[in-house]
Amino acid sequence: GEKHYMRGGKPGFFPSIKKGGIPHPVPFDLFDPFGLSKNASPEKKAKGLLAEINNGRLAMLGIMAFVSESKVPGSVPALAGKIAPYSGEVMAPFAASDNLPFVADMLKSPLF
């Protein structure tokens, strides 16, 4: 097995689940299931990694735009009138009853 990247391992390494200790046969790996990047050049792999990172960043911006528009109608002009207002607590999974650090303080601060 490969070491964790914080302990000197390779960043971005994803172990194969086909060779791991899974009790049943697994036909595909989660990363590159069809082997399309097996013979790719390092430059192509680096470009794909950058594209994947940027896709993740864009997805995070998109979900925050939907959350913002649902809490404050008109806050995202492109979504104005397309998202129903939400009067609930968007951070409900992190309620004070969950006993997570700093959650009680976060819930005490006023939103507006």
Side-chain angles (χ1 to χ4, degrees), residues 50-106:
L50 182 61
E52 187 65 27
I53 290 170
N54 286 336
N55 285 340
R57 290 173 177 162
L58 187 60
M60 287 186 279
L61 282 171
I63 193 68
M64 288 311 298
F66 278 96
V67 169
S68 299
E69 180 63 29
S70 69
K71 277 306 271 186
V72 183
S75 63
V76 182
L79 296 174
K82 296 179 179 148
I83 306 297
Y86 179 66
S87 61
E89 176 59 51
V90 295
M91 297 300 288
F94 304 107
S97 63
D98 285 342
N99 212 6
L100 294 173
F102 308 115
V103 172
D105 296 331
M106 178 186 70

